[in-house]
Amino acid sequence: EKLAIMGATGAGKSSLLSLLPRLYDATEGEIIVNGRNVQSWALDDLRAMIGYVPQQSMLFTGSIYENVSWGKENAPLEEVQAATMQAQIHESVESFPDSYNTRVGQKGVNLSGGQKQRLSIARALIRKSQILILDDSTSALDVKTEAALWDALEKEQATMLVVTQKIRTAKIADKILLLDDGKVVGFGSHEQLINSNKLYRSIAESQQELEVE
């Protein structure tokens, strides 16, 4: 299933996602993954199930191949290419003079915002994780590229948790979780929230995304 998580800056979206790989531990209640409290998992086993693309794309000095294969050590080039194709960045990489050997500057200074995001997504995809977390990781993508990315991700056998500010992205999720000031203020499909939730409807109005498909 695909769950979209929406809310204003500071609503708690990233904090919520951080509880799954135990970057933080819950102080109340329980976080359950595959029927088990996350605190009962060995940390390495828990994190091995998760592909995490943080809000800020983290690239390091090295080749594009090295940056993507950091998600799966010693991955053959074919697997790296398969991941970048899914992430809609393969053609851009091929257009660089050194292709997958192209050097990435520290923090990806020689790449655009959209290129950095897609390489970070490719790094998560190569892991073939059971849980894929995308924390506002498509904000720099144009409409066409983002649509192609979601089409490609349809084939992924993974639970997807997607933080987004875009109603058009939330629409394609199975469910949408709406947060406000650290609290859940809405949960349901796009159609359900359009018809029942004032905050969600106001966001949709501001983005001219009121129609229900």
Side-chain angles (χ1 to χ4, degrees), residues 49-68:
M49 292 193 298
I50 298 171
Y52 199 149
V53 186
Q55 210 166 2
Q56 297 294 327
S57 302
M58 299 297 290
L59 300 178
F60 54 81
T61 304
S63 69
I64 287 176
Y65 167 81
E66 289 167 336
N67 268 275
V68 176

Side-chain angles (χ1 to χ4, degrees), residues 101-114:
N101 293 319
T102 298
R103 301 293 291 176
V104 175
Q106 190 172 17
K107 296 185 180 178
V109 292
N110 53 335
L111 299 172
S112 71

